[in-house]
Amino acid sequence: MNKKHRILQAGRLLPSLEARLAAEFDHVLLAEQADPQAFLAAHGGEFEGFVTSAGVGYTAETLARLTTLRVISSFGVGLDKLDLAAAKARGIAVGYTPDVLNDCVADLAMVLMLDIGRRVSEADRFVRRGDWVTPGAKSFPLARKVSGAKLGIVGLGRIGQTIAKRATGFEMNIRYHSRRPVEGVPWRHEPSLVELARWCDYLVVITAGGAGTRHLVNDAVLDALGPRGFLVNVARGSVIDEAALVRALQARRIAGAGLDVFENEPNVPPALFELDNVVLLPHIASGTEETRQAMADRTFDNLQGFLSEGRMVSPAPLP
């Protein structure tokens, strides 16, 4: 009987994925250990594979304890919490789960645009408070049109292009900002993020996280977006200067924001709770049964594919 590959899992994942990992491999869950660091010090040299997630990631220090590691498989598309340079230096393959979540993230970006533009969540609160039936109460204020509006997209990778395709159904005028123009797309590239913000009605952020994009959306971008412009973030919280955004929303220097991600999750700035011109979601862009299962399947396939055949479905781009 062939000996099973020994696999370490960092944090809790989808139960169906954990069940498959336990059935296929000699599987250990680090989160169940009484002292994870002591466990790594004692047993780190026993594992060939490591399974983590975009939210948990791993550090160079963790990899240093996993001395026999050959492959890392991450549940998620974000790479900012994965020390790819440390993995590359060790010759460790890294897999992640792009493509399978494009549709759901794009769908949620459209939901947030529609919600904040048409004031849907605010209107829901208006009805629930009883304001609609209160004698003498003010009528609900007018909202803004989304169809035909100008959409600026920050980052035109797989998900950004999917958002743009969705937006064409709303007959939106679309431009995008990225470090360089994307070949083969019909939308106009805007080299300046400030100028894109100045031009558009809705600015959707879907660029990668990490040091290179930290606080890319800052006071200058928010001022350019202006009191008629809306901001939507379905990327990473670090891409936006959150303190600057709070100030801009409080002062109505921008019209509103739809946020699925935050700088210090799950902690959301309390000042945002008091504002009607912001929609707050708990990082659920990929949070559908279908997409999370597809992500789980890709996480498993990347791991199994490498250990059995030396190749992955979705290798991460190493620096």
Side-chain angles (χ1 to χ4, degrees), residues 37 40 50 56-67 69 72 80-90 92:
Q37 293 306 312
L40 284 173
F50 182 61
V56 173
Y58 64 85
T59 63
E61 290 74 19
T62 298
L63 289 196
R65 298 285 184 90
L66 300 171
T67 56
L69 200 63
I72 298 166
D80 46 308
K81 290 190 177 181
L82 279 62
D83 193 328
L84 298 177
K88 182 179 180 180
R90 287 265 308 278
I92 300 169

Side-chain angles (χ1 to χ4, degrees), residues 42-228:
H43 303 283
E46 301 173 5
F47 299 97
E48 292 181 78
F50 182 61
V51 181
T52 186
S53 67
V56 173
Y58 64 85
T59 63
E61 290 74 19
T62 298
L63 289 196
R65 298 285 184 90
L66 300 171
T67 56
T68 57
L69 200 63
R70 297 171 53 205
V71 58
I72 298 166
S73 186
S74 180
F75 179 97
V77 72
L79 299 173
D80 46 308
K81 290 190 177 181
L82 279 62
D83 193 328
L84 298 177
K88 182 179 180 180
R90 287 265 308 278
I92 300 169
V94 180
Y96 70 140
T97 65
D99 298 320
V100 297
L101 46 66
N102 296 356
D103 285 336
C104 281
V105 176
D107 289 351
L108 196 78
M110 296 303 300
V111 166
L112 285 170
M113 272 196 286
L114 290 163
D115 192 331
I116 195 62
R118 293 300 307 271
R119 309 178 82 151
V120 174
S121 291
E122 183 182 352
D124 176 81
R125 292 190 292 271
F126 180 86
V127 173
R128 290 175 187 271
R129 285 195 304 263
D131 291 353
W132 198 18
V133 296
T134 301
K138 293 181 179 180
S139 60
F140 190 75
L142 296 178
R144 294 276 300 284
K145 189 177 180 182
V146 176
S147 294
K150 292 179 287 187
L151 170 62
I153 302 176
V154 184
L156 201 73
R158 299 176 181 91
I159 302 173
Q161 292 183 43
T162 306
I163 292 170
K165 291 173 183 175
R166 297 281 191 280
T168 59
F170 286 80
E171 299 180 330
M172 300 185 83
N173 187 359
I174 302 165
R175 297 181 186 179
Y176 71 96
H177 170 77
S178 59
R179 285 177 292 182
R180 60 188 67 87
V182 178
E183 293 184 6
V185 301
W187 309 293
R188 175 174 164 179
H189 176 255
E190 173 53 69
S192 167
L193 177 54
V194 168
E195 290 307 314
L196 180 67
R198 198 183 315 279
W199 169 82
C200 70
D201 299 304
Y202 296 86
L203 186 67
V204 174
V205 180
I206 188 55
T207 191
T213 58
R214 178 172 173 77
H215 290 185
L216 182 66
V217 176
N218 53 23
D219 269 313
V221 174
L222 295 170
D223 285 340
L225 187 58
R228 297 281 292 170

